[in-house]
Amino acid sequence: MIIDKVRARVMMFDAGGQLQGAAPALLGLARGDDSAPGIGDRKMSAILPEERTTAAGRFVASLDRDVHGQEFLWIDYSTALSLHRVVKGKPSEQRAQRLNSATPRDNRISYGCVNVPVKFYETLVSPAFTGTNGIVYILPETRAAQDVFGSYDLDDAARRPAPVVLAAVPTVPLLVQQPGR
């Protein structure tokens, strides 16, 4: 799974690297690539708006259930970062409408978790992670990809921040893409 914060999109790939589907996502209210220290141990009411980021990085994710029995994907347990079906939230937040908007500008609303459409979660996310762990990459928006992910044999010129471009990924809203269709 790749989460592109700049475009507010989640892309699911199979084990062979083939795109299985993509969907819009709701992300942390604040821009940033790091989690506030100790955020995973704090009550939501104690998290300031500027601390509500969706951290960038490479994570080993797995499914779990919340206290109400609802399944979700743990991305990073220590910072309480997860991906789950879109929640209703307060009526004024209009989360479902934000997911359906034509632009990612209004997709910053959560405390840091990634919210996706219910159908995308149930059709792609849940089956892909059932019974196994998987890798989730969250692309940075304020730091260079090199600084977040590291790499081998790169010189200092490659460390300059640059936009991450995923040219092969469709930009049209796509909930589920079936191979051969």
Side-chain angles (χ1 to χ4, degrees):
M1 175 185 292
I2 296 175
I3 300 171
D4 180 345
K5 294 192 295 179
V6 172
R7 290 172 184 79
R9 295 197 51 83
V10 176
M11 293 144 290
M12 286 290 302
F13 297 86
D14 65 16
Q18 294 297 308
L19 179 66
Q20 298 300 297
L26 300 180
L27 304 162
L29 177 67
R31 285 178 39 95
D33 293 319
D34 298 299
S35 294
I39 199 161
D41 297 322
R42 294 168 38 198
K43 292 182 180 181
M44 289 178 69
S45 61
I47 300 172
L48 302 173
E50 62 269 18
E51 296 176 319
R52 298 175 188 174
T53 59
T54 300
R58 178 187 183 277
F59 305 93
V60 178
S62 62
L63 295 175
D64 202 351
R65 296 209 174 263
D66 66 16
V67 295
H68 305 290
Q70 285 293 311
E71 181 186 276
F72 67 97
L73 182 68
W74 266 128
I75 296 174
D76 186 45
Y77 184 82
S78 66
T79 61
L81 174 58
S82 67
L83 179 142
H84 51 78
R85 297 168 189 89
V86 65
V87 296
K88 286 187 179 183
K90 299 173 190 168
S92 63
E93 292 177 335
Q94 299 182 351
R95 288 179 180 239
Q97 293 88 334
R98 288 171 185 260
L99 275 176
N100 291 323
S101 71
T103 174
R105 287 185 294 238
D106 61 352
N107 290 41
R108 305 311 285 258
I109 188 74
S110 80
Y111 279 76
C113 288
V114 179
N115 289 214
V116 296
V118 172
K119 183 177 179 182
F120 180 81
Y121 184 92
E122 292 175 353
T123 305
L124 292 174
V125 177
S126 183
F129 286 88
T130 295
T132 189
N133 294 334
I135 304 299
V136 174
Y137 289 94
I138 302 179
L139 302 179
E141 60 188 335
T142 61
R143 295 171 53 203
Q146 167 66 24
D147 293 337
V148 173
F149 299 112
S151 189
Y152 300 98
D153 301 320
L154 292 177
D155 60 23
D156 287 337
R159 296 178 64 81
R160 282 186 237 127
V164 176
V165 177
L166 296 172
V169 177
T171 57
V172 295
L174 172 65
L175 289 181
V176 179
Q177 177 179 320
Q178 297 293 329
R181 292 187 184 178

